[in-house]
Amino acid sequence: MKIIFLFILFSFTIKPQTSNLLHTPANTRKFADHLFSGKDYLRSVFEYGKLPEYEKNDTIEFKIPLAYQLMGKYDLALEKFLSVNKESVYYDQSVKEYYKTLLQAGRYNELQSKLANNDVKDFQRLLYLSYLFTSNELPAEQNFLEAFPLSGKESLLSFFSEKKNPPYKSSLLSGLFSAIIPGSGKIYLGEIGDGITAFIATSLFAFLSYDNFRANHDFRGWLFSGLGFFFYTGNIYGSVAAAQIYNAKVDYEYKEKLNEYLQNKNYFVPGNDFVK
Amino acid sequence: MKFIFTIIFIHTLLLNAQTDWEKWGKVEIDYTLAGSYQHRNYSFDSDNTGSFFVKSFVNAYWFFVSDLDGDNCPFRPSCSSFLADAVQETNIFQGTLMFFDRFTRDINIFKKGKYPRVSSGYYYDPPSLYTLSEKIHYKPVNEIAISE
Amino acid sequence: MTLLNKYLLILLLYAGNISFSQDYLEEQFDLAKKLYDEENYFDAITEFKRLQFFDTSNVYLSVSDELIAQAYKNGGKFNEAIQYFTLAEINSKNSDDIFRIKIEIVRINILKRTTGNALRLLDDLIKDERWSNKKDEINYWCGWTYIFADEWDKATEEFSKISPDHELTLLCEKTNNKKYSVAFAKIASIILPGAGQFYTGNYINGLLSLGWCALWGYISVNALIEERVFDGLVVANFLWFRFYRGNLENAEKFAVEKNLQISNESLDYLQHNYKGTRP
């Protein structure tokens, strides 16, 4: 009885360092995993970072850059993917994610220079996808499509065709049309309202100028001629600028559509167990 | 009912975890109200002679005419500001052509759905789109381009 | 060891274990609270979330939700704050806590300037019999809601329900009295172009408005008198009416801007100098 009593007393007096119980490496890791699965990636990265080296395993080494990638912090993700150990079970996946991150970060030239002579299919896909974003020469259509699975070929073919022959409008033609018939350059670009308005404005001032000269009102005649001249030349200038904006819009919409498609397909990189 | 609410809110919390992807600190909440009216910039920012001449003309126009005849321009920047900015960014001749093109587009009554907007609802149409430079920062139609 | 002693030993060890569990959760709570008190809100939320993760019995759930919500509020993240306050309310145990949390949600709606939500929540509180003894506090927050909605007259009414001499009653009344009447400015400008601008102290603008309206009015009427109907109508429509309408817009604009300045002076005082409870 005495021994029992002393034992119990001893247990109560030795108060363990209770605040560290939740901060032990094992508990920190459990908490970090919970944060990661709840998409609280920054906190999960901070928690993983607190783990001692001996506690860090392949999974954690892979999840940290993955968390950065999911948050859009591409520079940090790239740095961490590069530092994944070659012996890690996730090394191959890290390499793929590294190149995928280069694509997401818009570092196409870097991606192209690094994968230039790579024959591995997964990497070839990323390389070919990067060509859809740059103005560098596209690979042959057959080679391009061969790299991708059947399910993606149709969509990718349309992106490839659009990249090869974008539906641009010519600035020169637009300006020339507007020089011949005011407003026609804008109509060529699909801006019917602007084109008609430009035509009406130029015609109106031309008529007013003619009418006033005919009535010997020279000052008014010259005033309206001047205004008509500026509307006319302004319209030619505006048609050229509008063609540039039209082409920028084509590029923007193409990139948006392509990015959305590739995000849905995870850039044709095999998925991982950590992100659903 | 409590259980259903808890599930819905936990789900919404997961969706909102994105706000904690940057470390943040305490902020001072500002009680004051923001004004919504446009304020003119009468200063001469450029030492370009053409720009000085045009800005003087625009300032006089603002003071004697534009500040008195109401808010008529559906664009931001307004057409007069567009002229001043265009001449400042390019030169007096190119800026004038940009202005007349802008004026023509302003006269067009069918311009709805062609421009992005600022937060106050005006159409966003900066001169930087029309300088014929290589890089154009295109903004899609009806997107809120900037807060104003 | 007898059977009784064995059972006693097991019971005592179990009790000891529980007390250790409560100790480390309590220490974790203290750590999180310390970070919160130091205004290190991001890290405080991390520690509260850690507490919640390991607190399988949910002992600290409601209080930690509330503190997470407060941390988000202090970081200006109002939507997250409301979500956590709502969770805290769901998990709270007594009506005093529920009331306090509901008021916190009202305060965030006030800061967000979602007046409709704040008033609706306060209306629900007023109608709830459980808090019939907290009418003063509810009226207090109604007043603040109206302050942030820039309705100083209604704010005065709400604060006067607490006391006619309340500091905020007097402040809101003073602010409301200083304000210009937008309707009066517009009506004055309808009757005499430029009068509204004179009322708000913008004399040059008023004079110029009057001048332009007089000029185009004269030209237009003169043209009509001389039977140059087309000229008269064009001048009237494109010039006279344009400047007249601009005059009305300016009368309203200057009155609104002056009122905004007056409101902001009071709001600035409330933010930096008012010693009472603020949202």
Side-chain angles (χ1 to χ4, degrees), chain B residues 2 13 16 19-20 23-24 26-33 35 39 64 67-72, chain C residues 39 43 72 74 77 80 83-84 87 90 113 212 242 245-246 249-250 257 260 264 267 271 278:
Chain B
K2 241 192 202 187
L13 277 170
N16 280 341
T19 60
D20 282 9
K23 198 165 179 185
W24 49 268
K26 183 179 179 181
V27 300
E28 174 84 27
I29 316 290
D30 187 14
Y31 285 14
T32 55
L33 291 158
H39 289 280
F64 288 108
D67 284 352
L68 299 158
D69 72 350
D71 189 8
N72 297 299
Chain C
E39 297 184 353
D43 292 337
Y72 275 123
N74 292 332
K77 295 182 183 293
E80 291 78 4
Q83 280 162 6
Y84 273 96
L87 277 176
I90 290 167
R113 291 197 152 96
W212 280 123
R242 189 181 174 105
R245 199 184 40 146
E249 273 182 33
N250 280 344
E257 279 184 343
L260 189 71
N264 280 340
L267 287 168
Q271 183 180 346
R278 296 176 288 147

Side-chain angles (χ1 to χ4, degrees), chain C residues 126-186:
Chain C
I126 284 265
K127 288 177 180 159
D128 198 323
E129 285 301 318
R130 285 181 287 177
W131 300 302
S132 51
N133 59 336
K134 295 195 191 270
K135 285 204 166 26
D136 275 357
E137 195 176 344
I138 297 170
N139 288 331
Y140 183 78
W141 294 114
C142 273
W144 271 102
T145 307
Y146 285 122
I147 286 176
F148 270 71
D150 203 25
E151 293 180 67
W152 298 87
D153 49 342
K154 288 185 182 162
T156 312
E157 247 177 71
E158 293 299 328
F159 288 121
S160 64
K161 287 178 192 170
I162 304 168
S163 159
D165 298 321
H166 194 284
E167 188 189 344
L168 290 178
T169 313
L170 300 171
L171 174 75
C172 292
E173 198 177 349
K174 190 173 147 198
T175 307
N176 192 47
N177 290 342
K178 269 203 250 179
K179 284 198 169 206
Y180 290 88
S181 167
V182 178
F184 177 78
K186 282 174 90 167

Side-chain angles (χ1 to χ4, degrees), chain A residues 39-42 70-71 73, chain B residues 17-23:
Chain A
K39 299 191 185 192
D40 205 344
Y41 298 124
L42 189 61
L70 290 163
M71 287 190 283
K73 295 179 188 293
Chain B
Q18 286 89 323
T19 60
D20 282 9
W21 288 356
E22 291 291 343
K23 198 165 179 185

Side-chain angles (χ1 to χ4, degrees), chain A residues 39 43 73 186 194 237, chain B residues 20 22 94 101 108 130:
Chain A
K39 299 191 185 192
R43 288 199 170 89
K73 295 179 188 293
K186 293 261 175 115
D194 282 351
Y237 179 94
Chain B
D20 282 9
E22 291 291 343
Q94 191 174 351
D101 173 57
N108 177 15
Y130 301 93

Side-chain angles (χ1 to χ4, degrees), chain A:
Chain A
M1 190 63 191
K2 251 192 248 177
I3 295 164
I4 295 162
F5 175 74
L6 281 167
F7 173 73
I8 293 163
L9 193 68
F10 182 72
S11 318
F12 274 107
T13 52
I14 304 284
K15 194 172 170 182
Q17 293 199 349
T18 54
S19 62
N20 289 338
L21 256 172
L22 299 189
H23 295 260
T24 59
N27 281 337
T28 303
R29 217 188 93 177
K30 276 188 211 162
F31 179 55
D33 289 342
H34 163 74
L35 288 170
F36 188 97
S37 61
K39 299 191 185 192
D40 205 344
Y41 298 124
L42 189 61
R43 288 199 170 89
S44 70
V45 163
F46 288 156
E47 291 300 309
Y48 284 133
K50 285 181 193 168
L51 293 172
E53 285 306 315
Y54 62 86
E55 269 291 331
K56 286 182 184 165
N57 56 26
D58 292 350
T59 309
I60 291 167
E61 210 186 15
F62 180 67
K63 280 172 92 168
I64 291 172
L66 192 63
Y68 280 126
Q69 187 205 67
L70 290 163
M71 287 190 283
K73 295 179 188 293
Y74 297 126
D75 291 339
L76 285 164
L78 288 167
E79 193 188 307
K80 296 290 178 188
F81 275 129
L82 273 181
S83 61
V84 167
N85 200 323
K86 282 194 167 64
E87 269 89 58
S88 165
V89 297
Y90 292 106
Y91 176 72
D92 287 342
Q93 204 155 2
S94 297
V95 174
K96 288 175 195 161
E97 292 291 341
Y98 170 80
Y99 289 118
K100 176 185 149 189
T101 310
L102 277 177
L103 196 61
Q104 285 177 309
R107 285 155 67 156
Y108 310 118
N109 292 329
E110 199 179 324
L111 177 72
Q112 284 165 8
S113 64
K114 282 185 164 129
L115 291 179
N117 300 311
N118 199 308
D119 291 330
V120 175
K121 209 143 207 145
D122 284 335
F123 298 136
Q124 254 195 344
R125 284 181 198 155
L126 289 167
L127 175 66
Y128 287 159
L129 288 174
S130 74
Y131 284 117
L132 295 178
F133 288 97
T134 59
S135 50
N136 297 337
E137 201 183 313
L138 288 169
E141 186 180 309
Q142 191 62 27
N143 295 344
F144 179 86
L145 290 174
E146 252 171 27
F148 294 96
L150 201 63
S151 61
K153 282 198 203 297
E154 199 183 316
S155 304
L156 285 167
L157 179 61
S158 79
F159 283 119
F160 184 89
S161 305
E162 199 177 326
K163 180 69 184 174
K164 204 162 180 186
N165 299 305
Y168 289 151
K169 297 280 186 182
S170 163
S171 310
L172 182 64
L173 269 181
S174 173
L176 210 60
F177 286 152
S178 277
I180 298 166
I181 301 172
S184 56
K186 293 261 175 115
I187 293 173
Y188 159 70
L189 297 168
E191 291 171 21
I192 316 285
D194 282 351
I196 292 172
T197 316
F199 178 79
I200 292 171
T202 315
S203 312
L204 179 70
F205 283 107
F207 169 75
L208 286 169
S209 165
Y210 161 76
D211 194 49
N212 277 284
F213 276 126
R214 204 169 53 124
N216 290 322
H217 293 143
D218 285 349
F219 174 74
R220 282 184 232 178
W222 283 114
L223 176 67
F224 289 126
S225 310
L227 286 171
F229 170 75
F230 276 114
F231 272 102
Y232 174 69
T233 46
N235 174 244
I236 296 170
Y237 179 94
S239 300
V240 172
Q244 265 194 337
I245 294 169
Y246 181 94
N247 296 339
K249 180 181 163 192
V250 164
D251 285 341
Y252 177 89
E253 286 174 352
Y254 175 80
K255 276 198 172 136
E256 285 291 298
K257 246 183 358 191
L258 181 58
N259 271 321
E260 196 187 326
Y261 174 76
L262 291 176
Q263 262 167 33
N264 287 338
K265 293 284 185 187
N266 195 36
Y267 295 82
F268 293 97
V269 168
N272 56 68
D273 300 325
F274 307 113
V275 179
K276 299 284 175 248

Side-chain angles (χ1 to χ4, degrees), chain C residues 9 24 33 42 93 125 150 164 181 220 224 239 247 250:
Chain C
L9 173 67
Y24 70 74
K33 185 79 172 49
F42 187 90
K93 307 245 184 320
L125 288 173
D150 203 25
S181 167
S220 176
L224 290 170
L239 291 167
N247 144 68
N250 280 344

